[in-house]
Amino acid sequence: MATRPVVNVYKVDTRRTEDRRDVKAATVVGQAVMPTVFSAPIRRDIIEHTQNLLRRNQFQVHAVSRKAGHQTSAESWGTGRAVARIPRVAGGGTHRAGQGAFGNMCRGGRMSNPTKSFRRLHVRVPVKARRYAAASSLAASAVPAFVMARGHRVEEVPEFPLVVSDEVESFKSHKMARRALKSVGGHSDIVRVRESRRRRAGKGKARGRRYVMAVGPLIVYKNDNGIVDSFKDIKGVDVRSVHELSVLDLAPGGHMGRFIVFTQSAFEELDKVFGTFRTESTYKKGFTVPMNVMTNADVHRILQSEEIQSVLRPAIGVSAMADKFEGMPEPSYVAEILKGVKEPLVASKTSTKK
């Protein structure tokens, strides 16, 4: 959660030089007011739950054939032949004759509980939950600790959230986009993404998903004057409009703290997109930025503060009910009880001996 009032706006190095390593660091050219959405509560539980539900809506319906495992003539031999009553393939002269069929335990049989195309895979995700998760993910992206914990290499990034001037939206070439990322310290993260590409573990290799790769920076813009085409070919980099932000982009895999680069116009548009604590969003009807239930989470410090202690009533003394004891009695009570009991007990013992 970022609470400082303003953020620096950086101008990237756009010089055309033959040496691609000759890139100057970005310089500060102005300031922008911090949007209220970066003060939203960081709710990891809401982010993870909403992201998992939204991913379910990307599943493709699949099922086995209704005829699978039953495309043979088979009938049970019944009882009395000392064999199982599973249906068996009719005929003779081949190894297949007499073999079990149809059952899920049989070779060539159907699967147990065959998958159906009408299975309920997609679920409706509440609009409020999606908006809350997006706002919370944005707030987490402004905390360097969360960004680094997610795995991004951002040691050279000057500031979070990172805002660049609007000239980036007019980039026309892939080369200028790479220079811009290197100028703001994002090149190390691009190298990390490139080195992370590896073969997928599992059957996805045979289904068109042979390789997996880490996720890199997210570029957020307002007006597409060429920025999408210039950044889209950089591996690991995603480009999204400020009006299309989703928790799937802001917290991939449910892990908050993505490295985000905003253009100045997109950064200033966030107050209209998400609203403030008291002003509703222009684009999301009835939505305002969520507020923290407690502004100070140190409950012990609050209770021990002078303001609280000064208005508390004095402690109540020990009541008369405290004299009642439970469990084992005190020795003084035992002595009081047994004071007149010991002599008759002794007398009774002597009388029995006689």
Side-chain angles (χ1 to χ4, degrees), residues 137-163:
S137 302
L138 274 175
S141 68
V143 182
F146 285 136
V147 179
M148 297 181 73
R150 199 182 180 282
H152 293 287
R153 294 180 184 173
V154 291
E155 294 81 2
E156 299 178 1
V157 177
E159 188 176 355
F160 286 97
L162 181 60
V163 184

Side-chain angles (χ1 to χ4, degrees), residues 199-212:
R199 286 168 62 90
R200 179 187 298 272
K203 288 187 177 180
K205 289 191 294 290
R207 296 174 179 173
R209 306 186 295 269
R210 181 172 296 274
Y211 296 98
V212 291

Side-chain angles (χ1 to χ4, degrees), residues 48-339:
E48 291 181 352
H49 181 65
T50 306
Q51 197 268 352
N52 289 335
L53 293 180
L54 288 174
R55 284 202 62 202
R56 288 184 59 179
N57 295 335
Q58 297 177 344
F59 292 165
Q60 182 173 342
V61 176
H62 63 281
V64 296
S65 172
R66 296 179 64 183
K67 300 178 181 179
H70 287 263
Q71 293 175 300
T72 182
S73 61
E75 190 175 351
S76 174
W77 289 354
T79 60
R81 307 183 81 173
V83 293
R85 286 175 283 187
I86 191 75
R88 298 178 182 275
V89 178
T94 65
H95 292 292
R96 182 58 173 154
Q99 290 182 352
F102 297 171
N104 64 302
M105 75 293 293
C106 300
R107 177 176 176 270
R110 57 166 171 76
M111 68 179 292
S112 176
N113 300 312
T115 53
K116 305 294 183 180
S117 60
F118 51 80
R119 184 170 50 167
R120 185 171 179 260
L121 294 174
H122 296 183
V123 293
R124 180 184 177 275
V125 186
V127 174
K128 189 172 183 179
R130 284 182 286 168
R131 293 172 176 176
Y132 198 126
S136 188
S137 302
L138 274 175
S141 68
V143 182
F146 285 136
V147 179
M148 297 181 73
R150 199 182 180 282
H152 293 287
R153 294 180 184 173
V154 291
E155 294 81 2
E156 299 178 1
V157 177
E159 188 176 355
F160 286 97
L162 181 60
V163 184
V164 296
S165 57
D166 285 340
E167 63 178 342
V168 178
E169 295 182 348
S170 302
F171 282 179
K172 302 295 184 182
S173 68
H174 175 83
K175 183 177 180 181
M176 295 180 68
R178 280 191 171 277
R179 289 182 66 88
L181 288 174
K182 187 177 292 187
S183 179
V184 296
H187 181 69
S188 299
D189 203 43
I190 301 299
V191 174
R192 175 189 67 90
V193 172
R194 187 170 63 236
E195 293 175 350
S196 69
R197 188 170 184 266
R198 63 193 184 280
R199 286 168 62 90
R200 179 187 298 272
K203 288 187 177 180
K205 289 191 294 290
R207 296 174 179 173
R209 306 186 295 269
R210 181 172 296 274
Y211 296 98
V212 291
M213 189 171 53
V215 176
L218 172 67
I219 312 299
V220 179
Y221 67 92
K222 181 182 178 182
N223 301 311
D224 180 16
N225 298 322
I227 184 173
V228 174
D229 291 336
S230 60
F231 279 94
K232 68 179 182 181
D233 289 334
I234 304 177
K235 293 187 180 298
V237 177
D238 295 323
V239 189
R240 294 290 184 272
S241 170
V242 69
H243 301 287
E244 300 173 354
L245 293 178
S246 167
V247 68
L248 297 174
D249 303 316
L250 300 171
H255 305 295
M256 57 187 179
R258 187 168 189 184
F259 176 29
I260 306 178
V261 181
F262 297 90
T263 63
Q264 184 175 359
S265 57
F267 191 74
E268 294 171 348
E269 188 77 1
L270 287 174
D271 272 341
K272 294 182 180 179
V273 175
F274 290 94
T276 63
F277 289 137
R278 303 187 182 280
T279 307
E280 289 188 2
S281 167
T282 306
Y283 304 99
K284 305 177 189 297
K285 183 178 179 180
F287 182 75
T288 57
V289 175
M291 297 182 66
N292 286 297
V293 177
M294 296 182 63
T295 56
N296 184 3
D298 192 350
V299 180
H300 179 75
R301 182 179 178 184
I302 294 174
L303 294 178
Q304 297 300 325
S305 64
E306 184 179 351
E307 293 80 3
I308 298 296
Q309 293 294 326
S310 62
V311 297
L312 292 178
R313 59 177 173 77
I316 300 175
V318 179
S319 63
M321 297 295 291
D323 293 337
K324 291 187 176 181
F325 55 83
E326 296 180 2
M328 294 298 293
E330 294 184 6
S332 59
Y333 285 103
V334 177
E336 186 72 22
I337 294 171
L338 299 179
K339 184 181 295 183

